[in-house]
Amino acid sequence: MKLYRFLSEEDTSTFCHKVTEALNKGWELYGSPTQTFDHAAGLMRCGQAVVKEVSGTYTPDTKLGAQ
């Protein structure tokens, strides 16, 4: 099955570390990164979709972050 996650974080090195960790766990980038201004918090936010092919059957209880 193919899993999908959308990683998001403030525009700091924490976001880069989050994406790097996912890549090192076998996730692959899916599409282009995104960036937007969060008016309520007054800061920039980044996002990146990632996908991963794993064995098994998807259920809503699947822990995507644990994969």
Side-chain angles (χ1 to χ4, degrees):
M1 78 176 136
K2 185 172 276 194
L3 302 177
Y4 171 92
R5 290 178 67 192
F6 185 78
L7 307 174
S8 63
E9 185 65 56
E10 290 181 29
D11 186 12
T12 66
S13 63
T14 302
F15 172 73
C16 296
H17 288 287
K18 186 182 276 191
V19 174
T20 299
E21 180 182 24
L23 294 174
N24 281 286
K25 288 183 175 180
W27 292 84
E28 296 180 15
L29 299 177
Y30 183 78
S32 299
T34 184
Q35 190 176 46
T36 190
F37 185 70
D38 180 341
H39 291 279
L43 49 84
M44 294 298 291
R45 294 201 178 272
C46 297
Q48 174 65 58
V50 291
V51 294
K52 184 176 185 182
E53 192 73 38
V54 298
S55 60
T57 303
Y58 172 78
T59 68
D61 296 328
T62 301
K63 303 287 186 224
L64 300 176
Q67 296 294 327

